[in-house]
Amino acid sequence: MKAALLRGPGGPEQFEIAEIRDPVAGPGEVLVRIEAISIEGGDLVSRRTGGPFERDHVIGYAAAGTVVALGPAVSGFAVGDRVATFGFTGSHAELRAVSAVQCWAIPAGLDTGVAATIPCGPGTAAHALKLAGLEDGAGKTVLITGAGGGVGLAAVQLAARAGARVIGTGTNRSVLDTLRQHGLSDGIVTTGEPASEQVLDLLGGRKVDLLIDNVGGPALSDGLKTLRDGGKAVLIGVFGGWHEPLDAGFVLRRRLSVIGCLLGAVISEPANYRLIADLLKLAEQGQLYTPIDAGFSFSDVVASHTRAEERGRLGRVVMHIRSER
């Protein structure tokens, strides 16, 4: 099969398309011919700093396609089924062997490219809100940093569906204005004064109940300033910096809860598996807005990763594979 291999850590130019051995579905696995690859934040991190970079290592989290073979002890799927898949490696290739418990049937009316984006972005957003206990958001205010990204966009919609007032931050005013059509109450552009000052001004000095932070680094420290006493912060992204120090005394005095959210580690647990299946149905029904920012062919992996790193986008970048097999 063809795969996008990395010569080493670095920029998108580190990719090369090469022929490698086809994977085989092992016990409990499904072999999928990939048709669409959603480029996730974790893919960018893997490319820049991750590894290993030995021969034939394929990065990539999220992809969708058609089942072509079943390994031993697999039930619930059949050859020919369209499926969305997740794994910490293996999406950037024509074929992928993935655990059946990290594989979801795609509803008949849902586009394969859109389906590829659901497990990571919307899945993480739904998991974060579940960790925060936001089943009923009536009377609550939620601040979402990086609201235009794949996770942020879904978090805006799901928090609004729960009844919360939703404030979002981003670098692109037009993107934030678009999000008003999908549940965003207020948009904060982060290219000027600190977001915390703008949020507190907006709320007349009141503070938010929940922070969903997709950025990390200084954005996390700044966002914590907006939380009421006893408020919660769910940390999803670390693109602003992995090692941002937090003021432990501030967290203690304010009785804040800071929760790390890494869905991939628990994605196959029954409750989370059902959560993603439900999101796929919502997307099919048009109740979950899941835009594709840009589409590229698999051979344009360098251009696709370049686009995925640009700020101010709305939605995911997707690579499409048109296999001749």
Side-chain angles (χ1 to χ4, degrees):
M1 69 174 182
K2 290 182 180 178
L5 301 182
L6 283 165
R7 292 185 290 263
E13 71 281 353
Q14 290 294 95
F15 279 113
E16 61 180 2
I17 303 295
E19 292 276 351
I20 64 173
R21 182 178 300 176
D22 290 354
V24 176
E29 291 186 331
V30 174
L31 185 65
V32 180
R33 184 167 303 287
I34 299 303
E35 297 163 19
I37 302 159
S38 177
I39 301 178
E40 304 294 333
D43 299 344
L44 304 182
V45 173
S46 295
R47 193 207 68 231
R48 294 171 189 156
T49 63
F53 295 101
E54 68 264 15
R55 176 179 171 81
D56 294 357
H57 176 73
V58 179
I59 72 161
Y61 284 17
T66 301
V67 175
V68 294
L70 304 175
V74 172
S75 62
F77 294 102
V79 172
D81 286 349
R82 290 192 312 138
V83 293
T85 70
F86 173 84
F88 283 118
T89 61
S91 76
H92 283 40
E94 289 182 318
L95 292 168
R96 181 183 212 180
V98 63
S99 171
V101 296
Q102 295 181 182
C103 188
W104 294 264
I106 300 175
L110 186 61
D111 175 76
T112 303
V114 171
T117 71
I118 299 295
C120 281
T124 296
H127 183 52
L129 295 178
K130 183 176 72 172
L131 290 174
L134 196 75
E135 290 82 6
D136 181 3
K140 296 181 179 177
T141 302
V142 179
L143 173 63
I144 300 172
T145 64
V151 178
L153 172 59
V156 166
Q157 296 172 78
L158 296 174
R161 281 173 64 93
R165 176 180 180 176
V166 184
I167 303 170
T169 73
T171 60
N172 188 317
R173 169 57 65 186
S174 65
V175 167
L176 293 171
D177 288 343
T178 298
L179 293 183
R180 291 180 179 273
Q181 305 169 35
H182 304 285
L184 188 72
S185 301
D186 305 278
I188 300 292
V189 177
T190 57
T191 53
E193 64 180 308
S196 60
E197 296 181 11
Q198 297 184 65
V199 170
L200 295 177
D201 285 345
L202 175 69
L203 297 177
R206 291 183 295 109
K207 296 184 177 180
V208 306
D209 301 284
L210 172 63
L211 167 68
I212 302 292
D213 181 33
N214 295 291
V215 181
L220 173 61
S221 297
D222 186 58
L224 291 177
K225 297 175 184 177
T226 70
L227 278 174
R228 63 169 175 81
D229 287 1
K232 295 179 181 179
V234 181
L235 174 61
I236 294 172
V238 290
F239 301 105
W242 280 83
H243 305 294
E244 175 71 8
L246 294 181
D247 184 339
F250 177 80
V251 173
L252 177 64
R253 290 191 304 273
R254 299 282 301 282
R255 297 179 288 106
L256 304 180
S257 298
V258 180
I259 306 167
C261 176
L262 183 64
L263 175 62
V266 293
I267 200 168
S268 58
E269 292 182 359
N272 293 327
Y273 186 91
R274 290 192 299 270
L275 179 149
I276 291 171
D278 290 343
L279 291 170
L280 287 162
K281 292 176 184 176
L282 284 177
E284 180 196 30
Q285 296 163 1
Q287 298 183 51
L288 181 66
Y289 177 54
T290 51
I292 303 298
D293 166 73
F296 293 84
S297 69
F298 185 49
S299 60
D300 291 329
V301 60
V302 172
S304 66
H305 266 249
T306 300
R307 176 59 182 170
E309 289 190 319
E310 294 178 4
R311 302 179 70 183
R313 296 179 297 101
L314 180 63
R316 283 288 189 247
V317 174
V318 173
M319 292 189 293
H320 299 276
I321 298 181
R322 302 287 186 265
S323 177
E324 297 180 357
R325 298 191 184 199

